[in-house]
């Protein structure tokens, strides 16, 4: 039993443990080029969160990882089979209900560890922050916390099923990564199509991209330079930073000026 993983822990332990922080991994169920599994985002969130919680627990922080949410917002991949969508409003309802369970259990700090780019949770935090006594934090691990590491480790990290996600797959769920008889990834090169608008292509104007027009096989970013070592290196860096935050969060009193 790992006491920082709720799904593995029994009531005999939980009833006497004063957990200080909950961590909720969120992923998606969607295609990732031709080689990565539909559960890629959820597998990544689970791998990162479980290791960060373990490292924080070993330093005395009483953190608990909740079971991951394996579905996310997939409106831009609706043309691909079994890309399983939950609308943002549905996710809001799920989060609101789960927050009630946490506060009823005496836990007033929650970190959402998000692994899916389609889950834009910042507006949800703004709406919920004055509706719950639970203090909410969000980490999109593929953005700020790992941005400099991505530049150091990868030739081109990629946007979706590229080098970074493939490296994590090779390192932490290799059994689900498809290769041919020579051990080569069964992926295309992850090339994407430009829109007709230069402002969109430059990133000056944003849209929700229809993935069937953007990509050939849902991949955005070339995965073929990925290695196990690159995946492990990224994991070590992200887990180190995230666990440090969890230790600080667990030890911080929720008072009138929190989090300042």
């Amino acid at each position: 039993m790992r006491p920082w993983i709720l799904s593995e822990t029994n009531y005999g332990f939980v009833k006497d443990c004063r957990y200080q922080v909950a961590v909720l991994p969120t992923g998606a169920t969607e295609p990732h080029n031709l080689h990565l599994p539909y559960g890629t985002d959820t597998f990544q969130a689970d791998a990162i969160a479980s290791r960060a919680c373990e490292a924080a627990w070993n330093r005395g922080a009483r953190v608990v990882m909740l079971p991951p949410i394996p579905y996310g917002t997939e409106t831009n991949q609706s043309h691909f089979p079994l890309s399983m969508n939950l609308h943002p409003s549905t996710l809001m309802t799920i989060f609101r209900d789960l927050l009630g369970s946490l506060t009823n259990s005496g836990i007033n700090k929650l970190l959402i560890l998000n692994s899916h780019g389609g889950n834009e949770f910042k507006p949800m935090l703004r709406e919920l922050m004055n509706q719950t006594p639970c203090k909410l934090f969000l980490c999109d691990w593929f953005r700020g916390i790992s941005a400099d590491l991505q530049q150091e480790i990868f030739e081109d990290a990629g946007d979706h099923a590229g080098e970074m996600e493939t490296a994590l797959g090779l390192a932490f769920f290799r059994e689900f990564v498809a290769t041919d008889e020579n051990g080569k990834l069964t992926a295309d090169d992850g090339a994407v199509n430009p829109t007709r608008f230069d402002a969109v292509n430059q990133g000056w104007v944003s849209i929700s991209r229809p993935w069937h027009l953007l990509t050939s096989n849902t991949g955005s970013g070339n995965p073929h330079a990925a290695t196990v070592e690159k995946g492990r290196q990224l994991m070590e860096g992200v887990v180190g930073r995230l666990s440090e935050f969890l230790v600080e969060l667990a030890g911080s009193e929720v008072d009138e000026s929190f989090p300042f």
Side-chain angles (χ1 to χ4, degrees), residues 30-44 46-47 161 165-180 184-187:
E30 61 176 3
H32 279 72
N33 204 318
L34 298 171
H35 64 299
L36 290 179
Y38 269 60
T40 289
D41 291 347
T42 308
F43 293 154
Q44 291 170 351
D46 187 292
E165 289 200 302
T166 301
L168 287 172
L170 290 172
F172 298 103
F173 43 96
R174 173 65 184 85
E175 65 272 27
F176 301 127
V177 180
T179 55
D180 63 20
K184 183 179 179 181
L185 299 172
T186 61

Side-chain angles (χ1 to χ4, degrees), residues 24 69 127-128 191 215 225:
L24 177 58
I69 297 177
E127 182 165 342
L128 292 175
T215 70

Side-chain angles (χ1 to χ4, degrees), residues 195 197-207:
T195 74
F197 302 106
D198 186 60
V200 174
N201 301 333
Q202 295 288 347
W204 303 337
V205 173
S206 179
I207 62 171

Side-chain angles (χ1 to χ4, degrees), residues 11-223:
Y11 179 59
F13 182 89
V14 169
K15 68 185 182 68
D16 296 320
C17 181
R18 295 180 61 85
Y19 287 112
Q20 300 161 304
V21 177
V23 177
L24 177 58
T26 60
T29 300
E30 61 176 3
H32 279 72
N33 204 318
L34 298 171
H35 64 299
L36 290 179
Y38 269 60
T40 289
D41 291 347
T42 308
F43 293 154
Q44 291 170 351
D46 187 292
I48 294 169
S50 61
R51 287 166 173 79
C53 287
E54 179 180 12
W57 182 278
N58 289 338
R59 293 178 56 186
R62 291 300 168 254
V63 297
V64 60
M65 188 189 93
L66 307 177
I69 297 177
Y71 302 113
T73 298
E74 296 292 340
T75 50
N76 60 352
Q77 284 208 31
S78 61
H79 282 68
F80 296 102
L82 294 177
S83 186
M84 306 302 292
N85 176 62
L86 290 181
H87 290 299
S89 56
T90 305
L91 286 165
M92 169 80 77
T93 299
I94 292 171
F95 274 93
R96 183 179 284 112
D97 289 350
L98 292 177
L99 283 167
S101 298
L102 288 177
T103 55
N104 285 343
S105 302
I107 298 176
N108 61 358
K109 303 167 191 170
L110 171 67
L111 171 66
I112 301 165
L113 180 68
N114 179 42
S115 190
H116 174 51
N119 293 337
E120 295 289 349
F121 288 145
K122 193 66 176 290
M124 182 186 69
L125 264 64
R126 290 192 175 103
E127 182 165 342
L128 292 175
M129 65 179 295
N130 294 320
Q131 300 178 16
T132 175
C134 192
K135 303 304 180 182
L136 304 175
F137 296 83
L138 170 64
C139 177
D140 297 313
W141 71 261
F142 49 89
R143 291 179 174 141
I145 197 170
S146 67
D148 60 324
L149 299 175
Q150 293 179 41
Q151 293 181 355
E152 294 171 8
I153 297 170
F154 302 108
E155 297 177 20
D156 179 9
D159 180 23
H160 182 76
E163 184 183 355
M164 179 174 68
E165 289 200 302
T166 301
L168 287 172
L170 290 172
F172 298 103
F173 43 96
R174 173 65 184 85
E175 65 272 27
F176 301 127
V177 180
T179 55
D180 63 20
E181 62 275 9
N182 298 314
K184 183 179 179 181
L185 299 172
T186 61
D188 66 25
D189 62 3
V192 296
N193 300 313
T195 74
R196 68 185 65 180
F197 302 106
D198 186 60
V200 174
N201 301 333
Q202 295 288 347
W204 303 337
V205 173
S206 179
I207 62 171
S208 184
R209 297 170 294 179
W211 223 249
H212 65 293
L213 300 177
L214 176 72
T215 70
S216 297
N217 292 296
T218 78
S220 174
N222 195 326

